[in-house]
Structure formats: C-alpha cells, structure tokens
Amino acid sequence: MNKDLISIGEMSRKEILDIFSLTEKIKKSPGKYSRALKGKSLALIFEKPSNRTYVSFSVGMYQLGGNAIYLGPEQIKLGVRETIHDVAQTLSRYVDGIVLRTFGHENVLEMAKFADIPVINGLSDYSHPCQALADVFTIREHLGDTFEKITMAYIGDGNNVCNSLIFISSKLGMHFNIATPRGYEPDESLLKKISPAARETKARIRLCATSEEAAKDADVIYTDVWASMGQEREAEKRKQDFKDYQVNDRLVGLAKKSCIVMHCLPAHRGEEITDSAIDGKNSAVFDQAENRLHVQKAILVTLLKRLIRH
Ligand code: CP
Ligand code: NVA
C-alpha cells in the first residue's frame, strides 16, 4: 500500500495492523473524526452492483466530513467512452480519491498508474481487499488478535474474496483451510505468490479434499456466493458443482463450538449458506457488514490525509 489500496498482497503486516488500530479508534469515537476529511471528495466508479461497498463508502465519507460522488455503469463507461488513462487524469483534477469496482483487475492497476490520487479497489475479479480487512477486523473483535491460533475454513468458490483472505491470512499468520470443488481452486500463481509470507508467519494455507475436512475444529467458517457477479450464466452449472459446499448446521457443528460464521454478502440463502447458519448464534455476518464502514473510514483517513496537492 503506497498511494493506493489495490490488493492485500501489497500491504505489509504493519500496515494491516495500523488500519486495525485506527479502525478501533474511529469506531469507538466517531465524533473525533467528523472533520478528518473536511473538504475532500471521493469518486465511486462502479461497473457492477453494490449495497455494502457503495453505501459504506458514501456514508463513511459523510461521517468524516467529506463527500462521495457515485459514478455508475452508465456514466463513465471505462474504456468505451474514454480511456482509463483519461478518466484517471481528469478525476485527479476534481477529487481526492477513487474507489473502483470493476471486472478485470488490470483496470484497477491502470487507474492507479495514471491517477495522481489514491485508488481503492472496491472489488475486482481478482480481489476484494476492503472486504478482507473488515473480515479480519471482525475476527479480531470476536476471537482476539492471536492470529496464529486461529484457523479459518473457507468453503466454496476460490474467487476474489477467497484470494484476499488468503493474502491477509498469510501476512498475519492465520491458518486457512480451503475447500472448493475441483476446478474452482484459487489460482496456483497466487498460492505461489503468498508462500514466502506464509513461511515467515508460519501460516498454514491448505487445500482440503472436502468441506468437512476444512471445517473440522475451525475457528471461522466462511463462504461466498457460488456464482460471482459476471458469472450469472454459469449459475445453474455451479449449483450442481457446489452442492456439497454448503455452510449449514451440520458443517458448523464440525467446527469449534465458539466458531464464528462469516459471509461477505450478498448471500444466496439456501445455496451456499442456510438461513439457520446465517441467522444462527455463531453468525458474525452483520458485524462484518457493519465493519466495512469502520475499516473503510480508517483506509480513507490513511490514504487521503497523506495526499498533498500541489
Ligand atoms: N460484500 C460486498 O462487497 O457487498 P456489495 O457487493 O453489496 O458491495
Ligand atoms: N465473489 C462475489 C463477492 C461479492 C461481494 C462477487 O464477486 O460477486
């Protein structure tokens, strides 16, 4: 994380922990930060739908004394109406930061390259760093910060959310069990990329043969939709392929009694997660959703305060 927040892969352990410390302060005393970004504006470029990311960034900027401007799929049309280069350069003259939700991760990289202002990845097909930061902040609230004693079981698709959770686990020394159907594993190149960090922190990142193996004695059970945004045409096939990868009471029963159940949302209830798991006593799902707001306020303060305009 230099100017931008593109992927947890580029953050150091210290930068992650600093975000958590600041989040804690902001969450505890939001009033103290109500002018932290006074006069600053944030552009939200969204090529995909959103509830949490859009609302929490908008409300977050408002609570910090700044302003957010939503630019939906019909407005900017990246690469169609104009190049990412020109969008980045133009917005750099108007606003103080950009959140980009897009398909190809290379779009986020390109935006960051040409923008003079911070660019925050609000989800790409490769990663969802704000989600993973909020998730681990939530884990820390529920289970403490002795990460090396925590095992997370991720059940389902080896997608953008899974990738960011792998990155953050390897940086913090949290153990990560992954259960996906064959063909839906996270990218091998990503697993190679994280291995030096995982060696250093002793994080065990493990591909498991079944959901049961991954969930056994876990502290956290995590899942996400079987078909992500942009994969709607594969939804029917995926329902078949993922049928043994549902988070339900039976699976939660294999984990530690004190385990927490997590989902980044939106959820497809009855598919990757049952009502009883998402609404049950172990669920931390809505704490996670709430923490998107607090964590992103910390990210905004960190990145936008750094910016010195010439
Ligand atoms: N979890 C998450 O990013 O939700 P939205 O897609 O609603 O923003
Ligand atoms: N994997 C999901 C996450 C949604 C927040 C998607 O990309 O649609």
Side-chain angles (χ1 to χ4, degrees):
M1 193 167 75
N2 296 314
K3 168 175 78 69
D4 314 291
L5 172 52
I6 306 293
S7 161
I8 307 277
E10 283 105 49
M11 290 181 81
S12 68
R13 178 186 167 93
K14 181 176 181 312
E15 284 172 330
I16 296 169
L17 298 178
D18 286 349
I19 292 288
F20 292 162
S21 304
L22 182 57
T23 303
E24 213 166 54
K25 289 185 192 144
I26 293 176
K27 188 171 177 178
K28 199 165 157 212
S29 313
K32 279 194 190 157
Y33 295 84
S34 63
R35 294 163 66 85
L37 297 183
K38 191 169 180 312
K40 304 238 187 241
S41 296
L42 181 73
L44 305 173
I45 307 178
F46 278 56
E47 293 192 299
K48 298 178 178 182
S50 171
N51 170 3
R52 281 142 293 272
T53 309
Y54 167 51
V55 177
S56 55
F57 268 113
S58 306
V59 172
M61 274 307 277
Y62 173 74
Q63 292 180 356
L64 294 167
N67 168 53
I69 300 151
Y70 176 71
L71 299 159
E74 285 312 305
Q75 271 151 312
I76 294 273
K77 290 184 181 288
L78 286 183
V80 178
R81 190 162 181 269
E82 57 188 325
T83 61
I84 293 178
H85 175 284
D86 292 353
V87 171
Q89 289 277 292
T90 304
L91 289 178
S92 297
R93 305 289 178 107
Y94 296 145
V95 299
D96 304 281
I98 298 171
V99 174
L100 175 58
R101 169 166 287 200
T102 185
F103 290 88
H105 190 69
E106 63 283 0
N107 294 344
V108 191
L109 294 171
E110 201 176 335
M111 187 71 80
K113 180 174 166 195
F114 293 114
D116 303 324
I117 53 176
V119 172
I120 299 170
N121 180 356
L123 180 147
S124 69
D125 288 354
Y126 178 68
S127 68
H128 197 2
C130 299
Q131 182 68 53
L133 287 165
D135 294 342
V136 177
F137 183 78
T138 308
I139 292 173
R140 189 176 169 271
E141 285 185 325
H142 280 262
L143 304 173
D145 62 0
T146 317
F147 296 114
E148 58 278 14
K149 292 207 169 135
I150 297 175
T151 299
M152 182 186 298
Y154 180 92
I155 314 294
D157 190 20
N159 59 18
N160 44 8
V161 170
C162 178
N163 288 347
S164 291
L165 290 171
I166 293 174
F167 274 125
I168 202 163
S169 299
S170 66
K171 301 256 166 167
L172 297 179
M174 192 159 65
H175 309 301
F176 198 78
N177 294 345
I178 311 159
T180 69
R182 202 180 290 274
Y184 295 97
E185 299 88 356
D187 262 7
E188 214 161 292
S189 62
L190 181 137
L191 295 173
K192 275 207 190 101
K193 201 167 166 183
I194 56 97
S195 68
R199 250 198 312 277
E200 201 181 313
T201 62
K202 300 195 169 58
R204 281 191 308 274
I205 313 288
R206 228 160 47 93
L207 288 175
C208 300
T210 61
S211 308
E212 290 76 12
E213 186 188 327
K216 186 149 176 16
D217 297 328
D219 300 282
V220 180
I221 305 270
Y222 197 113
T223 191
D224 184 13
V225 288
W226 290 338
S228 285
M229 291 179 272
Q231 296 172 331
E232 289 78 7
R233 277 195 305 204
E234 296 171 33
E236 281 314 307
K237 174 172 172 10
R238 283 173 173 256
K239 269 187 205 170
Q240 286 307 312
D241 295 347
F242 283 85
K243 64 180 180 341
D244 296 328
Y245 293 81
Q246 184 187 63
V247 172
N248 51 34
D249 290 343
R250 187 186 59 81
L251 202 74
V252 175
L254 298 175
K256 289 200 183 126
K257 234 181 146 130
S258 56
C259 81
I260 56 170
V261 172
M262 303 185 83
H263 191 309
C264 57
L265 300 174
H268 292 167
R269 287 169 176 254
E271 292 183 18
E272 77 277 359
I273 193 161
T274 57
D275 287 334
S276 57
I278 203 171
D279 299 325
K281 64 176 178 17
N282 298 78
S283 174
V285 168
F286 296 101
D287 295 340
Q288 249 180 292
E290 178 188 331
N291 281 332
R292 292 290 305 278
L293 172 68
H294 308 299
V295 165
Q296 286 161 195
K297 283 169 75 178
I299 295 168
L300 289 169
V301 169
T302 305
L303 292 181
L304 270 58
K305 278 224 127 172
R306 252 192 221 161
L307 182 72
I308 300 162
R309 283 188 167 278
H310 297 286

